[in-house]
């Protein structure tokens, strides 16, 4: 092939009408975290803020066992709930677990609170097409709380419905 033939071929290709398909797939922002040895996520719109786990939480006598206490967030008092009991997960016996823990300030339709998680993994935008329906074999206590499953960096992650989590917590408290 000569140089002129190559230039002619390149010119022909450049002049061809090529339709470029731009697919704008709906994305969903997710806050992914670890509790015990399992991975969960909440929709990012329901998480107002991520606070380091070493923020002081003050114990209040007479509160349910799932409430660690309350904390001061720029003058606002927020409760802090541990999710392990509600999700029926075993708490880590690792003393360093609290060093890497995080508090997610979450707001649902009816309630808001801080939620202590063992470790924040990431905040990501994922295509909605990656969401899979939960299997029927999901543990009974999780079934009403789970909306989807997805894979993130090779990890199986369970997407929780924040309002369902808060409703389950309130039902557990008899409210």
């Amino acid at each position: 092939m000569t140089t002129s033939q190559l230039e002619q071929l390149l010119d022909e290709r450049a002049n061809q009408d090529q339709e470029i398909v731009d697919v704008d797939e709906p994305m969903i922002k997710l806050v992914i975290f670890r509790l015990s040895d399992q991975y969960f996520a909440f929709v990012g719109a329901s998480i107002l803020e991520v606070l380091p786990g070493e923020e002081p939480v003050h114990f209040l006598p007479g509160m349910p066992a799932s409430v660690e206490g309350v904390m001061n967030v720029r003058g606002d008092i927020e409760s802090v709930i541990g999710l392990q009991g509600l999700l029926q997960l075993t708490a880590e016996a690792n003393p360093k677990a609290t060093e890497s823990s995080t508090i997610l300030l979450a707001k649902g339709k009816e309630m808001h609170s801080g939620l202590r998680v063992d470790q924040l993994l990431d905040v990501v935008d994922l295509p909605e097409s990656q969401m899979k329906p939960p299997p029927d074999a999901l543990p009974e206590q999780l079934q009403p709380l789970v909306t989807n499953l997805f894979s993130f960096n090779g990890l199986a992650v369970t997407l929780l419905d924040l309002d369902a989590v808060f409703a389950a917590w309130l039902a557990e408290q008899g409210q």
Side-chain angles (χ1 to χ4, degrees):
M1 186 177 273
T2 65
T3 306
S4 64
Q5 287 174 326
L6 180 61
E7 288 175 359
Q8 181 182 359
L9 184 60
L10 290 172
D11 284 341
E12 286 175 14
R13 287 207 174 178
N15 292 330
Q16 287 179 347
D17 288 324
Q18 293 184 1
E19 187 177 328
I20 297 175
V21 178
D22 185 17
V23 178
D24 226 5
E25 185 171 359
M27 302 292 274
I28 183 169
K29 184 174 289 301
L30 300 168
V31 177
I32 303 170
F33 57 92
R34 180 180 58 80
L35 277 174
S36 297
D37 60 350
Q38 296 182 35
Y39 300 94
F40 296 94
F42 285 118
V43 173
S46 62
I47 304 301
L48 303 175
E49 192 171 350
V50 176
L51 300 170
E54 65 265 2
E55 290 284 326
V57 176
H58 306 282
F59 174 76
L60 286 178
M63 295 300 291
S66 59
V67 177
E68 290 184 25
V70 295
M71 63 187 301
N72 183 341
V73 181
R74 291 177 298 287
D76 292 328
I77 303 301
E78 293 287 344
S79 60
V80 178
I81 298 172
L83 290 176
Q84 276 91 352
L86 180 66
L87 301 178
Q88 296 182 15
L89 303 172
T90 56
E92 283 194 6
N94 181 358
K96 290 192 171 200
T98 55
E99 292 175 15
S100 65
S101 73
T102 301
I103 298 172
L104 305 176
L105 285 183
K107 182 174 173 119
K109 292 176 186 162
E110 303 291 325
M111 180 177 164
H112 60 89
S113 180
L115 302 171
R116 184 169 308 270
V117 300
D118 292 339
Q119 180 184 20
L120 177 68
L121 295 180
D122 209 342
V123 177
V124 297
D125 288 317
L126 286 180
E128 285 184 6
S129 64
Q130 288 190 12
M131 300 294 143
K132 306 296 179 217
D136 293 334
L138 200 63
E140 189 176 327
Q141 76 274 9
L142 290 178
Q143 287 177 2
L145 309 177
V146 175
T147 59
N148 294 98
L149 300 177
F150 63 95
S151 179
F152 172 73
N153 290 343
L155 302 171
V157 182
T158 304
L159 180 59
L160 298 171
D161 178 335
L162 180 67
D163 287 317
V165 168
F166 281 154
W169 183 83
L170 287 170
E172 191 176 82
Q173 309 315 310
Q175 297 181 7

